[in-house]
């Protein structure tokens, strides 16, 4: 049975945050694979540059925010882990920069074609910039660190600490908005930053009252991003249409023939849709890329 999910499959980030902070780059790698296969070296170079930009604009600030928090609050093991992640990010950046340089040397792609791809990449990056702060409470550092620390505090009845941790989490979410989409120049995200900072102040005030149980406001942050949606999110019905197109492609049908327990994950990438088909035994089986405007299957691999 094939199951369609509208949201990109980020569930594995819960247990692998170091991969999570590079997911924008990992998605760019799909387009890198596409153009490497077709020997379009100009577009290949552009997507290596896009992957590097995702690291600089998303991964680096996220890592710096987390490392600063761990260091300030004495979480030495977590700080060491963040330092390791920083080195990994730098290595990936150098790799993509080097690959882009090599690809440019081989490129014969016409400039008008490159300009169209540059526009696509700009839409791609704008789509990814707010993705992590928008999903702060679902993936990455909140479930892997803050939620676990809060659970430990609640087990000992330390509700002041639980509130302080939630306040710190809200402040970190605000910092992600500040350092990623707002720093890039995206409009409308100041209200997200301000809403989380206001929530931080509310939680800090509640903590000062030394409560004997957790107030209901402690979990209110999880609703903020949903109530302040900025990006236009494609309707779930659109994802269903895209999924049907991908499943109807002969190459996809051939690859999935005989496979059991297949799951499909359509995700919008700013200018095109990506549909990944996976199962538990083999992981990723096949990926289809579909043009947003024409609904044409651009590639399958």
């Amino acid at each position: 049975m094939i199951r369609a999910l509208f949201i990109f499959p980020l569930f594995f980030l819960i247990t692998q945050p170091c991969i999570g902070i590079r997911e924008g780059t990992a998605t760019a790698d799909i387009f890198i694979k596409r153009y490497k296969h077709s020997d379009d070296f100009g577009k290949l170079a552009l997507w290596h540059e896009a992957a590097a930009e995702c690291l600089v604009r998303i991964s680096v600030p996220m890592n710096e925010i987390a490392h600063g928090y761990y260091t300030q609050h004495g979480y030495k093991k977590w700080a060491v882990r963040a330092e390791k992640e920083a080195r990994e990010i730098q290595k990936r950046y150098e790799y993509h920069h080097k690959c882009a340089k090599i690809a440019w040397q081989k490129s014969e792609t016409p400039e008008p074609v490159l300009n169209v791809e540059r526009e696509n990449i700009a839409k791609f990056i704008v789509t990814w910039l707010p993705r992590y702060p928008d999903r702060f409470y679902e993936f990455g550092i909140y479930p892997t660190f803050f939620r676990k620390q809060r659970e430990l505090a609640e087990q000992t009845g330390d509700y002041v600490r639980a509130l302080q941790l939630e306040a710190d989490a809200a402040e970190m979410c605000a910092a992600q908005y500040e350092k990623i989409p707002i720093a890039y120049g995206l409009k409308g995200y100041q209200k997200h930053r301000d809403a989380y900072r206001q929530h931080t102040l509310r939680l800090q005030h509640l903590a000062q009252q030394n409560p004997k149980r957790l107030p209901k406001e402690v979990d209110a942050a999880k609703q903020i991003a949903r109530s302040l949606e900025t990006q236009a999110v494609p309707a779930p019905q659109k994802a269903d249409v895209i999924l049907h197109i991908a499943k109807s492609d002969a190459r996809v049908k051939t690859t999935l023939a005989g496979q059991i327990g297949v799951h499909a994950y359509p995700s919008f990438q700013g200018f095109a849709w990506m549909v990944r088909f996976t199962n538990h035994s083999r992981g990723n089986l096949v990926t289809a890329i579909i043009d947003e405007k024409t609904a044409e299957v651009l590639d399958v691999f």
Side-chain angles (χ1 to χ4, degrees):
M1 178 179 181
I2 295 178
R3 177 166 60 92
L5 294 181
F6 174 63
I7 297 176
F8 192 76
L10 298 174
F11 55 85
F12 65 92
L13 308 191
I14 293 176
T15 56
Q16 301 185 56
C18 63
I19 295 177
I21 61 173
R22 297 198 300 269
E23 183 59 21
T25 294
T27 306
D29 282 342
I30 300 296
F31 294 98
I32 288 171
K33 181 179 179 180
R34 179 189 179 197
Y35 292 121
K36 184 180 293 185
H37 183 263
S38 64
D39 288 337
D40 190 329
F41 293 105
K43 291 183 180 180
L44 176 63
L46 288 176
W47 278 99
H48 273 297
E49 291 177 348
E53 185 168 1
C54 284
L55 289 168
V56 170
R57 295 195 178 274
I58 302 173
S59 303
V60 169
M62 285 184 65
N63 177 268
E64 289 176 346
I65 291 168
H67 181 264
Y69 180 82
Y70 298 144
T71 302
Q72 179 183 356
H73 293 273
Y75 295 102
K76 294 182 179 180
K77 291 183 179 179
W78 287 85
V80 170
R81 182 178 182 177
E83 290 162 7
K84 178 182 177 182
E85 290 172 0
R87 291 191 294 271
E88 292 174 356
I89 291 168
Q90 181 61 29
K91 287 176 62 176
R92 293 301 297 173
Y93 174 82
E94 292 171 358
Y95 165 79
H96 284 295
H97 183 73
K98 178 180 178 180
C99 288
K101 185 176 180 179
I102 294 171
W104 279 127
Q105 293 171 351
K106 299 179 181 179
S107 174
E108 296 179 354
T109 310
E111 193 64 23
V113 175
L114 292 175
N115 286 335
V116 171
E117 201 65 20
R118 288 187 179 102
E119 293 177 3
N120 290 338
I121 288 171
K123 294 176 183 177
F124 170 83
I125 291 176
V126 165
T127 299
W128 271 98
L129 286 170
R131 189 161 295 196
Y132 295 103
D134 279 351
R135 292 160 176 77
F136 180 86
Y137 288 90
E138 300 172 59
F139 308 106
I141 192 170
Y142 181 81
T144 58
F145 177 80
F146 284 108
R147 188 164 64 200
K148 290 184 178 180
Q149 294 295 324
R150 171 181 160 180
E151 289 171 355
L152 291 173
E154 287 187 62
Q155 288 172 10
T156 60
D158 192 346
Y159 301 119
V160 170
R161 175 163 171 72
L163 284 165
Q164 289 172 336
L165 285 163
E166 287 294 336
D168 291 345
E171 177 58 35
M172 185 175 289
C173 186
Q176 288 189 4
Y177 278 111
E178 177 71 32
K179 299 295 185 180
I180 304 175
I182 295 174
Y184 188 79
L186 296 191
K187 304 299 182 182
Y189 288 97
Q190 288 84 355
K191 61 185 179 183
H192 291 66
R193 175 201 61 200
D194 295 345
Y196 283 105
R197 285 181 174 167
Q198 290 171 8
H199 185 63
T200 298
L201 294 175
R202 284 196 296 270
L203 293 176
Q204 289 173 341
H205 176 71
L206 290 170
Q208 291 172 357
Q209 298 176 17
N210 195 23
K212 302 304 179 183
R213 61 180 181 179
L214 286 179
K216 61 181 180 180
E217 292 90 342
V218 71
D219 293 318
K222 299 174 184 178
Q223 309 301 322
I224 293 176
R226 204 170 304 165
S227 65
L228 296 173
E229 193 68 54
T230 296
Q231 283 191 346
V233 179
Q237 293 83 354
K238 179 67 173 181
D240 291 339
V241 171
I242 293 298
L243 179 60
H244 176 73
I245 293 170
K247 288 166 58 179
S248 300
D249 187 272
R251 293 163 292 182
V252 172
K253 286 182 178 180
T254 299
T255 303
L256 298 182
Q259 296 293 334
I260 300 173
V262 177
H263 300 266
Y265 302 96
S267 60
F268 184 56
Q269 302 299 324
F271 69 98
W273 286 81
M274 184 181 294
V275 183
R276 286 184 174 180
F277 295 88
T278 71
N279 66 9
H280 292 297
S281 60
R282 294 185 55 192
N284 192 68
L285 300 170
V286 64
T287 299
I289 298 175
I290 300 168
D291 186 84
E292 161 67 6
K293 293 181 180 178
T294 65
E296 173 189 357
V297 179
L298 301 175
D299 208 346
V300 173
F301 48 86

